[in-house]
Amino acid sequence: MSETGEEFDLLAIETLKSRYLQEGEKDWEDVCKRVAKAIALNRGEYTEFLDIILSKAFIPSSPTLMNAGTPSGQLSACFVIPVEDGIEKIFDSVKTAALIQKTGGGTGFNFSKIRPDGSVTVSGVGTASGPVALMRLFNEATEIVKHFGKRRGANMGILDISHNDIISFIRAKRTEGVLSNFNISVMLTDSFMSLADEGRMDEVWNTETGTKIGEIFSEIVEGIWRNGEPGVLFYDHINRDNFTPALGDISATNPCGEEPLLPFESCNLGSINLSILVEEGKVNRDSLREAVRKAVRFLDNEIDVNVYPVPEIEKATKKTRKIGLGVMGFHDMLLKLGLPYDSEEALRLAEKLMGQINRAAIRESEKLAAEKGPFPEYENSIWEFPVRNATLTAIAPTGTISILAGCSAGIEPVFSWVYRRARIAGKEFMLVHPLFETHFKQKLSKPDYNRLLEHVYAHGTLQDITDSKIVSEEEKGLFRSALDINWKTHIDIQAAFQRHCHAGISKTINMPVDAGKEDIGKALIYAWKQGLKGLTIYRTGSRQHVVLNLKKR
Ligand code: UDP
């Protein structure tokens, strides 16, 4: 019997039907067969690929599930498109982004080459409108292309901390609904962060504009406190892991931040389901290694069978052959092992697991290099032995594929044990986390169990339940959800995974509604010191639509 609750199965089926089934397909198995057939180069691979996807031990990201074996054939989720200063080039970038988004891929841009608002244009006639105004152009293009694609187009807009328009960029999303197809991130450097950390807030950062360190830092903090925007990226940490520095610096990531890429590179993502690796209270390390081995081959094959939106992307991608193998179901794994998310053991496990995955992935890439040759830019890279892929690991949000797998998303803690899921295909679902359900249904009488559900639904937590017969102290430790967990722990877990991950990690650092601005400032500094490549903080209820939902409730 499946471990997921009935409602979870129902949600997976509805998601599958509404987004992934092609004409003539009726279930998950049909999707897996189409995908495995499109990616496998021979019968042996077909059987291996079918096995890992069908069993949900590994699931490739949405564009692959949607497009493999179809006329579109575009398999990648992540792209970075350069934006040069000049009308013609800018519209070329908009066009490339539109072609990518039509197929379900997400695009990231660094707008720092665009001259600041008000400066004189190249022709000397009129003034430049600056990066923020330009982002609206990209945003509108996404808005229109949305209607042609199966999934919402997503953009990441980035601006370097030394750009003259940095303050207006940080404020660009302050009004709810503006630039709704963008996540925005400030690209921070070590030198800026060191000065902020030393409290040298009165020092001038930008001599042209006279803007001080403190002004910029507090604008970022203010924006995050208000509605979670902007996110931040740490340039030096990203480029510390640039395996091909001869090809240039990395200045942008895909929309959710897990893939820092060079201009025109694309990357195929896929995630291993950690939850199903727990057998009799232990992690099955052999199954993990097997899944990694097959997944690396799968993702590497994708690079050759992929249909690229424009020739520049094919060229850049095939030079480095980056793949993004990640994980999902980490919190479910911890629950099955009886370990609280905020425990020393969880941190140690995160580190150990990701270390194993990274090593196994490198080993497989080494074998692939021996069979098929290393990535073409290998000689220009910092790798000391030949591998087939310049980078191998990245942790994606797994927003949809974790629903298909019926496990917790990425490395996130479960957001809530009981919640209502907005309508999908005309149905509304009341969801109880399957492991929570199994645990408390066994222990409690039916009326007590129902009272517990009502309490958790209304309060969003079980930490405030005083009756120890309903919830013991130990259970309170185990069943802590995203908001019961301190921001520091969120960052520590992200850092533990990051230490063994080539690319980046998509994760939200949740803070309670009453978190202060000083907490946000501290979190930014702490995350930088822990070596993260980027950070997204979200203070509960700080976005309008969330507030409305709460009121309605
Ligand atoms: N993405 C996108 N539009 C979306 C969701 C995701 O373009 O609506 C892209 C984006 O680059 C993101 C990546 O897909 O970083 C992976 O997202 P996720 O893991 O949530 O995708 P899934 O495979 O679960 O659908």
Side-chain angles (χ1 to χ4, degrees):
M1 215 181 81
S2 145
E3 254 162 358
T4 52
E6 263 174 45
E7 300 89 348
F8 264 70
D9 287 343
L10 206 58
L11 180 63
I13 291 167
E14 285 301 329
T15 308
L16 184 70
K17 275 192 196 156
S18 61
R19 299 181 64 184
Y20 300 94
L21 293 187
Q22 298 289 326
E23 224 181 301
E25 291 176 349
K26 55 182 189 321
D27 55 20
W28 178 237
E29 188 169 349
D30 287 344
V31 173
C32 297
K33 283 181 176 162
R34 165 172 52 80
V35 173
K37 195 169 159 220
I39 312 300
L41 302 177
N42 53 52
R43 261 210 94 67
E45 280 189 353
Y46 172 77
T47 314
E48 288 199 345
F49 295 167
L50 182 63
D51 170 55
I52 43 168
I53 308 175
L54 190 58
S55 64
K56 299 182 175 175
F58 163 82
I59 304 189
S61 74
S62 289
T64 302
L65 292 176
M66 287 167 174
N67 301 333
T70 76
S72 153
Q74 198 294 105
L75 310 172
S76 311
C78 310
F79 295 81
V80 162
I81 305 300
V83 186
E84 302 294 336
D85 197 28
I87 286 291
E88 200 175 329
K89 288 199 175 126
I90 288 166
F91 276 86
D92 280 346
S93 302
V94 174
K95 180 181 170 186
T96 306
L99 292 174
I100 291 167
Q101 289 173 11
K102 200 178 79 170
T103 64
T107 42
F109 318 87
N110 187 318
F111 290 99
S112 301
K113 285 191 182 157
I114 304 298
R115 81 198 62 195
D117 187 8
S119 36
V120 179
T121 58
V122 189
S123 59
V125 187
T127 52
S129 49
V132 176
L134 260 186
M135 282 165 67
R136 283 191 231 125
L137 175 67
F138 286 77
N139 192 67
E140 278 310 305
T142 302
E143 195 62 35
I144 289 161
V145 174
K146 246 185 211 175
H147 303 287
F148 298 95
K150 276 194 211 160
R151 89 166 172 171
R152 208 174 154 262
N155 298 294
M156 170 68 96
I158 297 163
L159 202 68
D160 293 348
I161 189 72
S162 22
H163 194 284
N164 285 3
D165 286 0
I166 196 69
I167 298 286
S168 58
F169 175 81
I170 294 168
R171 289 182 186 159
K173 290 202 67 177
R174 214 152 275 187
T175 312
E176 192 89 15
V178 171
L179 293 177
S180 57
N181 300 312
F182 264 96
N183 292 330
I184 60 169
S185 279
V186 178
M187 186 64 91
L188 296 165
T189 55
D190 277 357
S191 61
F192 180 89
M193 290 306 290
S194 306
L195 291 167
D197 180 34
E198 288 162 21
R200 289 156 68 173
M201 298 301 190
D202 283 335
E203 278 181 35
V204 173
W205 171 254
N206 185 328
T207 46
E208 271 182 54
T209 56
T211 321
K212 293 179 177 162
I213 303 270
E215 283 173 70
I216 305 176
F217 195 77
S218 54
E219 280 293 342
I220 296 173
V221 167
E222 175 79 23
I224 295 173
W225 187 83
R226 280 171 181 245
N227 64 0
E229 300 262 19
V232 299
L233 292 166
F234 297 117
Y235 176 86
D236 297 278
H237 296 173
I238 288 174
N239 283 283
R240 168 195 71 201
D241 282 347
N242 181 358
F243 287 80
T244 55
L247 300 184
D249 290 357
I250 299 178
S251 64
T253 72
N254 71 316
C256 302
E258 69 274 19
E259 267 301 337
L261 294 170
L262 291 165
F264 286 122
E265 274 185 332
S266 66
C267 186
N268 311 319
L269 304 174
S271 302
I272 287 179
N273 180 353
L274 295 177
S275 172
I276 63 169
L277 291 173
V278 182
E279 287 167 14
E280 290 160 18
K282 279 208 206 106
V283 180
N284 186 331
R285 310 268 170 193
D286 293 336
S287 303
L288 176 63
R289 268 191 298 272
E290 261 310 282
V292 172
R293 191 182 66 74
K294 292 173 188 171
V296 167
R297 288 201 169 242
F298 180 96
L299 294 171
D300 182 65
N301 278 10
E302 279 195 52
I303 297 169
D304 298 312
V305 299
N306 203 355
V307 176
Y308 293 86
V310 293
E312 292 98 318
I313 295 176
E314 176 161 16
K315 209 169 142 212
T317 305
K318 287 186 171 170
K319 274 185 186 174
T320 54
R321 304 188 65 90
K322 290 177 180 171
I323 61 172
L325 177 63
V327 296
M328 56 185 166
F330 177 61
H331 196 186
D332 283 355
M333 170 183 255
L334 293 175
L335 289 165
K336 286 184 181 175
L337 295 171
L339 301 175
Y341 191 93
D342 49 355
S343 62
E344 274 302 315
E345 292 93 326
L347 270 176
R348 273 203 298 274
L349 182 65
E351 192 123 4
K352 201 167 154 193
L353 267 178
M354 201 59 207
Q356 273 179 340
I357 292 171
N358 215 29
R359 280 193 302 277
I362 293 170
R363 255 199 310 277
E364 199 55 28
S365 189
E366 225 183 324
K367 276 194 205 153
L368 279 170
E371 281 171 35
K372 305 181 181 186
F375 64 94
E377 290 288 337
Y378 160 68
E379 297 288 349
N380 289 322
S381 77
I382 58 170
W383 281 97
E384 287 167 5
F385 51 90
V387 283
R388 181 124 174 106
N389 316 89
T391 63
L392 289 145
T393 41
I395 301 179
T398 71
T400 329
I401 60 167
S402 66
I403 295 176
L404 294 176
C407 67
S408 57
I411 58 164
E412 297 287 3
V414 169
F415 191 75
S416 179
W417 305 108
V418 184
Y419 64 98
R420 208 177 271 282
R421 173 96 196 177
R423 287 169 171 275
I424 288 189
K427 293 194 178 68
E428 197 167 78
F429 297 87
M430 178 74 157
L431 289 173
V432 182
H433 189 277
L435 298 170
F436 177 98
E437 183 177 9
T438 314
H439 180 91
F440 286 104
K441 247 188 183 166
Q442 262 168 17
K443 175 188 155 176
L444 299 174
S445 69
K446 207 167 177 198
D448 279 349
Y449 176 68
N450 285 338
R451 266 197 295 278
L452 174 67
L453 285 194
E454 266 165 41
H455 181 98
V456 178
Y457 181 59
H459 295 231
T461 180
L462 47 66
Q463 301 301 320
D464 55 346
I465 294 174
T466 46
D467 186 346
S468 60
K469 285 199 289 299
I470 304 283
V471 182
S472 69
E473 283 310 307
E474 201 189 338
E475 287 164 335
K476 281 187 186 174
L478 190 59
F479 289 101
R480 263 185 222 145
S481 51
L483 286 170
D484 303 323
I485 294 165
N486 188 282
W487 59 258
K488 225 165 165 226
T489 305
H490 278 273
I491 293 176
D492 288 340
I493 290 280
Q494 186 173 340
F497 277 97
Q498 185 62 75
R499 282 192 276 278
H500 305 278
C501 178
H502 293 148
I505 295 177
S506 167
K507 161 136 185 52
T508 302
I509 307 305
N510 292 101
M511 289 200 183
V513 65
D514 57 3
K517 291 177 194 166
E518 59 293 346
D519 291 321
I520 290 169
K522 278 185 202 154
L524 290 175
I525 303 268
Y526 184 70
W528 169 67
K529 289 191 169 167
Q530 293 305 303
L532 297 195
K533 294 187 181 173
L535 187 69
T536 307
I537 301 175
Y538 181 67
R539 189 173 61 91
T540 308
S542 62
R543 248 171 234 164
Q544 231 164 25
H545 67 272
V546 180
V547 176
L548 287 178
N549 277 350
L550 286 176
K551 272 193 197 147
K552 220 163 81 190
R553 200 206 271 178

